[in-house]
Amino acid sequence: LAKVYQHMGDWTNAKNAALDVVNNGGFSLVPSTGLVNYWKGTTPRTDRVETMFEVTSDANNSVSDGTLANLYVPKPIGSYGDILATQDFYNSHSLTDVRRQLYNPSTRSGQLGIAYYITKYPIDPINYDDVKIVRYAEVLLILSEAYYNLNDPINALKYLNMVAMQRDPIFAGYTSTGPQILEDILTERGKELAWEGYRFWDFYRLQRSFVKPQAQDASNVIIQSITVTPTTLNIIFPIPKDEVLVNPNITQNNGY
Protein backbone atom coordinates (compact mmCIF):
# COMPACT_ATOMS: atom_id res chain seq x y z
CA LEU A 1 0.00 0.00 0.00
CA ALA A 2 2.88 2.36 0.79
CA LYS A 3 4.31 1.65 -2.68
CA VAL A 4 0.98 2.55 -4.29
CA TYR A 5 0.76 5.83 -2.39
CA GLN A 6 4.39 6.57 -3.23
CA HIS A 7 3.68 6.17 -6.93
CA MET A 8 0.63 8.42 -6.57
CA GLY A 9 2.63 11.07 -4.73
CA ASP A 10 0.27 10.82 -1.73
CA TRP A 11 3.00 11.25 0.85
CA THR A 12 0.86 11.43 3.98
CA ASN A 13 -0.69 8.05 3.28
CA ALA A 14 2.63 6.63 2.08
CA LYS A 15 4.17 7.67 5.39
CA ASN A 16 1.33 6.23 7.44
CA ALA A 17 1.37 2.88 5.62
CA ALA A 18 5.15 2.53 5.82
CA LEU A 19 5.27 3.65 9.43
CA ASP A 20 2.65 1.04 10.31
CA VAL A 21 5.03 -1.63 8.98
CA VAL A 22 7.96 -0.18 10.90
CA ASN A 23 6.07 0.07 14.18
CA ASN A 24 3.94 -3.06 13.99
CA GLY A 25 5.36 -5.41 11.35
CA GLY A 26 8.18 -6.95 13.36
CA PHE A 27 10.54 -6.92 10.37
CA SER A 28 14.26 -6.17 10.49
CA LEU A 29 17.12 -5.54 8.10
CA VAL A 30 19.61 -8.25 7.23
CA PRO A 31 22.95 -7.59 9.00
CA SER A 32 25.70 -6.50 6.63
CA THR A 33 27.58 -9.73 7.30
CA GLY A 34 24.61 -11.79 6.17
CA LEU A 35 23.44 -9.95 3.06
CA VAL A 36 25.21 -12.11 0.48
CA ASN A 37 23.87 -15.34 1.98
CA TYR A 38 20.44 -13.73 2.28
CA TRP A 39 20.32 -13.36 -1.49
CA LYS A 40 21.79 -16.80 -2.10
CA GLY A 41 19.11 -18.57 -0.10
CA THR A 42 16.56 -20.61 -2.06
CA THR A 43 14.36 -21.42 0.92
CA PRO A 44 11.38 -19.06 1.41
CA ARG A 45 12.00 -16.67 4.30
CA THR A 46 9.52 -16.81 7.17
CA ASP A 47 11.63 -15.19 9.90
CA ARG A 48 10.60 -11.58 9.17
CA VAL A 49 14.20 -10.68 8.40
CA GLU A 50 13.96 -8.32 5.44
CA THR A 51 11.65 -10.40 3.22
CA MET A 52 7.99 -9.39 3.31
CA PHE A 53 6.75 -11.06 0.13
CA GLU A 54 8.38 -13.28 -2.46
CA VAL A 55 7.41 -15.60 -5.31
CA THR A 56 8.74 -19.13 -5.06
CA SER A 57 10.06 -21.04 -8.04
CA ASP A 58 10.42 -24.66 -6.96
CA ALA A 59 10.20 -28.13 -8.50
CA ASN A 60 6.41 -27.77 -8.85
CA ASN A 61 6.34 -24.12 -9.88
CA SER A 62 9.57 -23.67 -11.80
CA VAL A 63 9.83 -21.32 -14.75
CA SER A 64 13.26 -22.78 -15.47
CA ASP A 65 15.38 -20.55 -17.69
CA GLY A 66 12.82 -17.75 -17.48
CA THR A 67 13.92 -16.80 -13.97
CA LEU A 68 15.75 -13.59 -13.18
CA ALA A 69 18.85 -15.55 -12.22
CA ASN A 70 19.11 -17.03 -15.68
CA LEU A 71 18.93 -13.59 -17.25
CA TYR A 72 21.71 -12.24 -15.04
CA VAL A 73 24.09 -15.13 -14.31
CA PRO A 74 26.29 -16.38 -17.17
CA LYS A 75 26.85 -19.92 -18.41
CA PRO A 76 27.71 -22.53 -17.31
CA ILE A 77 26.06 -21.66 -13.99
CA GLY A 78 23.13 -19.79 -15.50
CA SER A 79 21.77 -19.41 -19.00
CA TYR A 80 22.20 -15.97 -20.52
CA GLY A 81 24.13 -13.40 -18.52
CA ASP A 82 22.60 -10.82 -20.83
CA ILE A 83 21.98 -7.99 -18.38
CA LEU A 84 25.11 -6.39 -16.95
CA ALA A 85 25.92 -3.59 -14.54
CA THR A 86 28.13 -0.77 -15.77
CA GLN A 87 31.56 -0.11 -14.34
CA ASP A 88 30.40 3.28 -13.04
CA PHE A 89 27.48 1.73 -11.19
CA TYR A 90 29.70 -0.97 -9.69
CA ASN A 91 32.21 1.66 -8.59
CA SER A 92 29.45 3.73 -6.97
CA HIS A 93 29.53 1.14 -4.18
CA SER A 94 32.31 1.82 -1.70
CA LEU A 95 34.79 -0.95 -0.97
CA THR A 96 33.09 -1.53 2.38
CA ASP A 97 29.54 -1.58 0.98
CA VAL A 98 28.47 -5.23 1.23
CA ARG A 99 26.24 -4.80 -1.83
CA ARG A 100 29.40 -4.63 -3.93
CA GLN A 101 29.77 -8.36 -3.29
CA LEU A 102 26.57 -9.01 -5.26
CA TYR A 103 28.50 -8.45 -8.49
CA ASN A 104 31.14 -10.55 -10.19
CA PRO A 105 33.52 -8.59 -12.46
CA SER A 106 34.64 -11.11 -15.04
CA THR A 107 34.97 -11.68 -18.78
CA ARG A 108 32.27 -12.58 -21.26
CA SER A 109 32.62 -14.11 -24.69
CA GLY A 110 32.06 -11.41 -27.29
CA GLN A 111 31.94 -8.67 -24.65
CA LEU A 112 34.52 -5.90 -24.74
CA GLY A 113 35.99 -4.88 -21.41
CA ILE A 114 34.96 -6.26 -18.03
CA ALA A 115 31.52 -7.80 -17.67
CA TYR A 116 30.01 -6.84 -14.34
CA TYR A 117 27.75 -9.82 -13.76
CA ILE A 118 24.86 -9.55 -11.32
CA THR A 119 24.81 -12.36 -8.76
CA LYS A 120 21.98 -11.04 -6.63
CA TYR A 121 19.78 -14.00 -7.51
CA PRO A 122 20.83 -17.61 -6.87
CA ILE A 123 21.03 -20.45 -9.31
CA ASP A 124 19.75 -23.80 -8.05
CA PRO A 125 18.94 -26.71 -10.41
CA ILE A 126 15.56 -27.28 -8.77
CA ASN A 127 14.52 -24.10 -7.01
CA TYR A 128 16.21 -21.52 -9.21
CA ASP A 129 15.40 -18.30 -7.38
CA ASP A 130 12.72 -17.16 -4.96
CA VAL A 131 12.12 -13.65 -6.27
CA LYS A 132 11.84 -11.10 -3.49
CA ILE A 133 9.04 -8.68 -4.35
CA VAL A 134 8.74 -6.53 -1.22
CA ARG A 135 11.56 -6.05 1.26
CA TYR A 136 11.78 -4.16 4.53
CA ALA A 137 14.65 -2.04 3.18
CA GLU A 138 12.32 -0.63 0.54
CA VAL A 139 9.71 0.24 3.15
CA LEU A 140 12.32 2.29 5.02
CA LEU A 141 13.32 4.10 1.84
CA ILE A 142 9.67 4.84 1.01
CA LEU A 143 9.28 6.24 4.51
CA SER A 144 12.38 8.37 4.05
CA GLU A 145 11.06 9.80 0.79
CA ALA A 146 7.66 10.45 2.34
CA TYR A 147 9.20 12.41 5.21
CA TYR A 148 11.30 14.39 2.74
CA ASN A 149 8.19 15.39 0.80
CA LEU A 150 6.42 16.27 4.05
CA ASN A 151 9.23 18.71 4.93
CA ASP A 152 10.69 16.59 7.72
CA PRO A 153 14.38 16.26 6.77
CA ILE A 154 15.40 14.86 10.16
CA ASN A 155 13.23 11.77 9.81
CA ALA A 156 13.99 11.55 6.08
CA LEU A 157 17.70 11.20 6.90
CA LYS A 158 16.98 8.91 9.84
CA TYR A 159 15.31 6.22 7.75
CA LEU A 160 17.62 6.73 4.77
CA ASN A 161 20.63 6.11 6.99
CA MET A 162 19.06 3.06 8.59
CA VAL A 163 19.52 1.34 5.24
CA ALA A 164 22.73 2.99 4.06
CA MET A 165 24.66 2.46 7.29
CA GLN A 166 23.52 -1.14 7.61
CA ARG A 167 24.82 -1.95 4.14
CA ASP A 168 28.11 -0.13 4.71
CA PRO A 169 29.20 -0.30 8.37
CA ILE A 170 31.99 2.24 7.74
CA PHE A 171 29.67 4.83 6.23
CA ALA A 172 29.01 7.73 8.61
CA GLY A 173 25.61 8.49 7.12
CA TYR A 174 24.08 11.11 4.85
CA THR A 175 24.00 14.68 6.24
CA SER A 176 22.55 16.46 3.23
CA THR A 177 20.00 19.25 3.27
CA GLY A 178 17.31 20.55 0.93
CA PRO A 179 16.75 18.90 -2.48
CA GLN A 180 19.99 16.94 -2.13
CA ILE A 181 18.20 14.70 0.37
CA LEU A 182 15.93 13.45 -2.38
CA GLU A 183 18.93 12.83 -4.64
CA ASP A 184 20.57 10.80 -1.87
CA ILE A 185 17.37 8.80 -1.38
CA LEU A 186 17.26 8.03 -5.10
CA THR A 187 20.94 7.08 -5.08
CA GLU A 188 20.36 4.70 -2.21
CA ARG A 189 17.25 3.26 -3.87
CA GLY A 190 19.32 2.74 -7.00
CA LYS A 191 21.93 0.68 -5.13
CA GLU A 192 19.59 -1.12 -2.76
CA LEU A 193 16.88 -2.08 -5.25
CA ALA A 194 19.11 -2.61 -8.27
CA TRP A 195 17.94 -5.36 -10.65
CA GLU A 196 14.67 -5.83 -8.74
CA GLY A 197 12.65 -3.97 -11.37
CA TYR A 198 11.93 -0.64 -9.72
CA ARG A 199 14.43 1.87 -11.11
CA PHE A 200 12.43 2.61 -14.25
CA TRP A 201 9.35 3.33 -12.17
CA ASP A 202 11.27 5.78 -9.99
CA PHE A 203 12.21 7.73 -13.12
CA TYR A 204 8.71 7.45 -14.51
CA ARG A 205 6.82 8.61 -11.41
CA LEU A 206 9.24 11.52 -10.97
CA GLN A 207 9.06 12.33 -14.71
CA ARG A 208 12.83 12.27 -15.10
CA SER A 209 14.95 11.56 -18.13
CA PHE A 210 17.62 8.87 -17.98
CA VAL A 211 20.39 7.43 -20.11
CA LYS A 212 20.31 3.73 -20.92
CA PRO A 213 23.79 2.32 -21.74
CA GLN A 214 23.85 -0.18 -24.60
CA ALA A 215 27.50 -0.94 -25.36
CA GLN A 216 31.01 -0.35 -24.02
CA ASP A 217 34.54 -0.48 -25.39
CA ALA A 218 37.52 -2.48 -24.14
CA SER A 219 38.17 0.16 -21.46
CA ASN A 220 34.61 -0.02 -20.15
CA VAL A 221 33.75 3.38 -21.62
CA ILE A 222 30.10 3.52 -22.71
CA ILE A 223 30.15 4.01 -26.49
CA GLN A 224 26.47 3.55 -27.24
CA SER A 225 23.42 4.64 -25.28
CA ILE A 226 19.96 6.12 -25.65
CA THR A 227 18.34 8.93 -23.69
CA VAL A 228 14.79 8.29 -22.52
CA THR A 229 12.59 11.22 -21.57
CA PRO A 230 9.07 11.37 -20.10
CA THR A 231 7.78 12.12 -23.61
CA THR A 232 9.68 9.34 -25.38
CA LEU A 233 7.28 7.45 -27.61
CA ASN A 234 6.32 4.05 -26.21
CA ILE A 235 7.75 4.75 -22.75
CA ILE A 236 4.75 2.83 -21.44
CA PHE A 237 3.20 -0.31 -22.93
CA PRO A 238 -0.01 -0.31 -24.94
CA ILE A 239 -3.29 -1.23 -23.30
CA PRO A 240 -4.35 -4.62 -24.73
CA LYS A 241 -6.74 -4.14 -27.66
CA ASP A 242 -9.35 -6.41 -26.11
CA GLU A 243 -9.51 -4.13 -23.07
CA VAL A 244 -10.05 -1.07 -25.26
CA LEU A 245 -12.76 -2.82 -27.28
CA VAL A 246 -14.83 -3.88 -24.29
CA ASN A 247 -14.50 -0.64 -22.34
CA PRO A 248 -15.36 2.58 -24.23
CA ASN A 249 -14.04 4.63 -21.31
CA ILE A 250 -10.46 3.51 -21.99
CA THR A 251 -8.24 5.65 -24.18
CA GLN A 252 -5.23 3.93 -25.73
CA ASN A 253 -1.79 5.14 -24.63
CA ASN A 254 -0.04 7.52 -26.98
CA GLY A 255 1.91 6.04 -29.85
CA TYR A 256 -0.13 2.89 -30.43
Side-chain angles (χ1 to χ4, degrees):
L1 185 59
K3 285 166 67 76
V4 172
Y5 284 130
Q6 175 197 39
H7 195 82
M8 294 170 61
D10 184 340
W11 297 111
T12 297
N13 280 315
K15 181 201 75 172
N16 291 339
L19 202 57
D20 185 26
V21 174
V22 171
N23 291 335
N24 304 307
F27 294 94
S28 62
L29 291 173
V30 176
S32 60
T33 54
L35 186 69
V36 173
N37 284 333
Y38 165 77
W39 281 102
K40 283 183 178 179
T42 56
T43 302
R45 304 285 301 219
T46 59
D47 55 6
R48 291 183 177 266
V49 177
E50 192 92 25
T51 297
M52 300 180 67
F53 177 70
E54 63 186 40
V55 175
T56 295
S57 180
D58 58 22
N60 294 319
N61 304 287
S62 177
V63 291
S64 188
D65 61 0
T67 63
L68 285 174
N70 278 280
L71 291 174
Y72 295 141
V73 181
K75 295 178 179 179
I77 303 173
S79 292
Y80 307 111
D82 282 347
I83 301 175
L84 304 172
T86 63
Q87 183 181 61
D88 285 346
F89 181 74
Y90 175 76
N91 289 338
S92 71
H93 299 72
S94 70
L95 294 177
T96 52
D97 189 329
V98 69
R99 292 171 297 196
R100 190 182 177 101
Q101 299 176 33
L102 298 174
Y103 301 89
N104 177 28
S106 185
T107 57
R108 178 178 187 240
S109 177
Q111 172 74 47
L112 293 174
I114 300 298
Y116 289 88
Y117 287 115
I118 302 148
T119 57
K120 199 170 190 177
Y121 296 91
I123 288 287
D124 180 281
I126 296 177
N127 298 310
Y128 286 93
D129 46 339
D130 289 333
V131 180
K132 296 168 176 60
I133 305 298
V134 182
R135 296 190 294 115
Y136 186 56
E138 184 185 7
V139 173
L140 295 175
L141 292 173
I142 292 174
L143 185 54
S144 174
E145 190 175 352
Y147 273 121
Y148 165 78
N149 283 282
L150 294 172
N151 299 312
D152 187 342
I154 293 177
N155 275 312
L157 290 172
K158 171 186 174 181
Y159 289 102
L160 172 62
N161 285 324
M162 283 178 66
V163 176
M165 295 171 71
Q166 181 73 293
R167 300 306 189 226
D168 185 354
I170 306 301
F171 182 50
Y174 291 100
T175 59
S176 46
T177 60
Q180 184 58 42
I181 296 177
L182 177 60
E183 300 311 309
D184 292 339
I185 293 170
L186 294 175
T187 294
E188 202 60 32
R189 283 181 61 85
K191 290 189 286 188
E192 179 63 28
L193 304 174
W195 323 113
E196 295 178 53
Y198 302 132
R199 188 62 168 172
F200 169 81
W201 296 109
D202 279 347
F203 289 132
Y204 182 75
R205 67 186 173 83
L206 294 171
Q207 290 292 281
R208 293 193 175 194
S209 300
F210 62 91
V211 176
K212 178 176 173 50
Q214 295 178 306
Q216 65 182 23
D217 64 16
S219 300
N220 288 89
V221 175
I222 301 300
I223 57 174
Q224 181 177 330
S225 62
I226 59 172
T227 298
V228 181
T229 74
T231 59
T232 295
L233 196 63
N234 308 143
I235 193 172
I236 54 176
F237 289 164
I239 300 172
K241 187 175 181 180
D242 286 349
E243 296 296 328
V244 177
L245 289 174
V246 300
N247 188 345
N249 296 313
I250 289 180
T251 301
Q252 182 58 273
N253 290 327
N254 291 332
Y256 299 100

